[in-house]
Amino acid sequence: MAKKNKAKFKTQQKMVDTIDKKFLKSLKVRNGLIDKSSSNNRDEITSLDLLMSELIRKRARLTLGGYNYIHHEMWE
């Protein structure tokens, strides 16, 4: 397993994996809303942005490298 995907403790690894899955699912939904019409879905897009920022923060706390090993998709 790559260092960037590794939790500080073995008991936290399932949480890191779940955060990654939830983030990628939310990103897909957000990108779909943007493609449709960003002006009509602004509130939902903002809500997803807030959720994704919290997921990034939680993931950084759980992983060995913190913010240094965030997925490329999370930076964009």
Side-chain angles (χ1 to χ4, degrees), residues 32-66:
L33 289 171
I34 289 173
D35 289 342
K36 288 180 184 177
S37 175
S38 60
S39 61
N40 294 339
N41 301 316
R42 184 175 296 174
D43 290 340
E44 195 168 349
I45 291 168
T46 302
S47 176
L48 286 169
D49 285 343
L50 290 171
L51 170 67
M52 292 188 309
S53 68
E54 285 297 313
L55 291 172
I56 291 170
R57 185 181 62 83
K58 286 180 182 181
R59 188 182 193 285
R61 286 184 175 180
L62 294 174
T63 56
L64 287 172

Side-chain angles (χ1 to χ4, degrees), residues 3-57:
K3 186 176 181 181
K4 66 182 177 181
N5 293 327
K6 195 165 187 173
K8 291 177 185 174
F9 304 103
K10 287 183 180 183
T11 56
Q12 296 172 328
Q13 187 61 47
K14 188 174 181 179
M15 179 67 90
V16 170
D17 295 338
T18 303
I19 288 171
D20 289 347
K21 287 177 189 176
K22 181 66 177 170
F23 180 87
L24 293 174
K25 184 177 178 181
S26 298
L27 182 62
K28 185 183 276 188
V29 170
R30 180 186 176 272
N31 289 340
L33 289 171
I34 289 173
D35 289 342
K36 288 180 184 177
S37 175
S38 60
S39 61
N40 294 339
N41 301 316
R42 184 175 296 174
D43 290 340
E44 195 168 349
I45 291 168
T46 302
S47 176
L48 286 169
D49 285 343
L50 290 171
L51 170 67
M52 292 188 309
S53 68
E54 285 297 313
L55 291 172
I56 291 170
R57 185 181 62 83

